[in-house]
Amino acid sequence: NGGNSLYHDATNFNIGAVDGVTGVRIGANNLTLSTSGSVTHAAAGNNISALGLELLGTGGNYQLTDATNVITNIAGNTGVVNYTNNASLVVGTVGANTGLTTSATMTLTVLGAGNNLTFNATATPGAATTFNAPNNIIFNTGAGVTAVNAAGQTASFIAGNQIVGNANAATDISAATANLNAANGIGAANAIETTVANLIVTNSTGGNVVITDTAGINIDSASSAGNFSLTSTGSITTTGNLALNGLQSVIYANGSTSDLTLSSTVTHGAGAANLALRADNSVFFTGTGNVTSTGGALEVTLNSDRDASGAGAIAMAAGSLMASNGGNVVLGGGVSPATTAAVGQGAKVHGVQISGANINAGAGNVSIRGQSLAGAGTAHGVSIDGGSVLQASSGTITITGTGAAATTTSRG
């Protein structure tokens, strides 16, 4: 208890008991461990109690999972870290190290009701990583400082309450895949800022999900009991199912060349709600794209050309489906898709093309507005073919097509 402590060993060692003293307890001081071997607990209760824990050593393998470990801060640079703490834990500065870096896996587990895991500095794992807290996982690095930099890896975050985004302008997660699992909200107060290729989201009980991505993203799967908002500065694709049960769900591919492509099923099983699928360029449903409400009426809007640049089509391929269970269905463009046309762009010369697809609004209305691509050989404002079916049992179906100047044929 007289000051900071450093222990270095060239090989394996245990945190054990000597002369009746169990574990390592140094009060409000820092403990530095350094080895290229493995470190574990000799027995349950042989814990570590300190202000900070610094883990060093090339290739070191730290398996410090005793359920009674209590520290405040963790940092270091080593091989593998698997650490459990029975109190709130901060990835911060200990000794000469700010942040925690591993060449292989990193696992941080917090125990105890109400305890949090906070990133005040960067965690940089070299392989798959898992962070687990019974209350909140909080990103709190300075402006411009990435909280978790798991380049090329899968980073999993499990919070018993919320995953809280950084109030500063900083990337919270950089990874190949981010797996976010919380009970009561993900980015509800401050959006989670990501640079990831793939996204998995589970928000099981309530609270909202708000995520912003900077480079284009694929949604592997998503489930949210609360509102869901994903905005990406790049194209968005989906490969797994989305169960979106909040009152408001918005998926937005932001940027003049950004498309939104739905290749999976979006379901809604709660009360009346709204779903907006937006892109500054085009919105596509592949043959496996499906939006279905089995709960209340779901207002569904496919909104291309959201930036009102005059380019952004909508296309639904054979086999795709929208069943709104009585909610209005709108296909259009610009900032007001109910009154503004989607516009043909690139190879998609038709403003809206529905080919062998099915739209069923039940008691709701269907509104489709499209304008063909100017200068195209043959183009239509709205093209409906391939045995497509549009249904509104007691609502109205309104189709408005506008033909732009074409080199051969242009029809509304």
Side-chain angles (χ1 to χ4, degrees), residues 325-338:
N325 201 25
N328 296 330
V329 175
V330 174
L331 283 70
V335 295
S336 302

Side-chain angles (χ1 to χ4, degrees), residues 123-161:
T124 309
T129 184
T130 300
F131 304 106
N132 194 324
N135 193 38
N136 297 330
I137 294 177
I138 302 168
F139 300 110
N140 191 43
T141 55
V145 179
T146 299
V148 175
N149 187 4
Q153 310 301 330
T154 296
S156 299
F157 303 81
I158 304 167
N161 188 30

Side-chain angles (χ1 to χ4, degrees), residues 90-399:
V90 175
V91 177
T93 298
V94 183
N97 275 278
T98 295
L100 181 61
T101 299
T102 60
S103 60
T105 59
M106 181 188 301
T107 304
L108 299 179
T109 302
V110 174
L111 304 177
N115 289 329
N116 302 322
L117 173 60
T118 301
F119 294 89
N120 283 351
T122 305
T124 309
T129 184
T130 300
F131 304 106
N132 194 324
N135 193 38
N136 297 330
I137 294 177
I138 302 168
F139 300 110
N140 191 43
T141 55
V145 179
T146 299
V148 175
N149 187 4
Q153 310 301 330
T154 296
S156 299
F157 303 81
I158 304 167
N161 188 30
Q162 294 189 10
I163 300 175
V164 181
N166 200 330
N168 297 313
T171 299
D172 297 319
I173 306 165
S174 177
T177 297
N179 186 342
L180 308 177
N181 188 320
N184 296 309
I186 298 171
N190 304 303
I192 304 297
E193 300 182 31
T194 68
T195 302
V196 301
N198 300 290
L199 179 67
I200 301 169
V201 173
T202 304
N203 182 45
S204 60
T205 304
N208 299 331
V209 174
V210 183
I211 299 170
T212 60
D213 186 80
T214 60
I217 196 169
N218 176 68
I219 306 174
D220 281 350
S221 66
S223 175
S224 180
N227 294 346
F228 182 91
S229 173
L230 170 65
T231 300
S232 179
T233 308
S235 293
I236 298 174
T237 58
T238 71
T239 53
N241 293 336
L242 288 70
L244 305 179
N245 292 314
L247 295 175
Q248 182 74 41
S249 297
V250 178
I251 301 175
Y252 178 23
N254 176 249
S256 61
T257 61
S258 298
D259 298 325
L260 170 56
T261 302
L262 184 73
S263 300
S264 56
T265 298
V266 179
T267 59
H268 178 78
N274 295 276
L275 170 67
L277 303 178
R278 298 171 177 166
D280 281 347
N281 201 41
S282 297
V283 176
F284 302 127
F285 276 39
T286 70
T288 53
N290 180 329
V291 173
T292 299
S293 175
T294 58
L298 180 65
E299 306 277 336
V300 182
T301 302
L302 307 190
N303 181 189
S304 66
D305 189 26
R306 180 70 181 180
D307 60 356
S309 66
I314 295 171
M316 296 182 64
S320 60
L321 167 70
M322 280 193 288
S324 68
N325 201 25
N328 296 330
V329 175
V330 174
L331 283 70
V335 295
S336 302
T339 57
T340 306
V343 181
Q345 193 274 333
K348 299 296 182 180
V349 296
H350 310 306
V352 176
Q353 184 174 21
I354 302 172
S355 299
N358 190 323
I359 298 176
N360 187 345
N365 303 319
V366 177
S367 171
I368 302 172
R369 292 178 179 269
Q371 177 180 310
S372 63
L373 174 65
T378 300
H380 308 281
V382 178
S383 174
I384 302 173
D385 58 29
S388 296
V389 177
L390 277 63
Q391 295 176 282
S393 60
S394 59
T396 61
I397 298 176
T398 303
I399 302 171

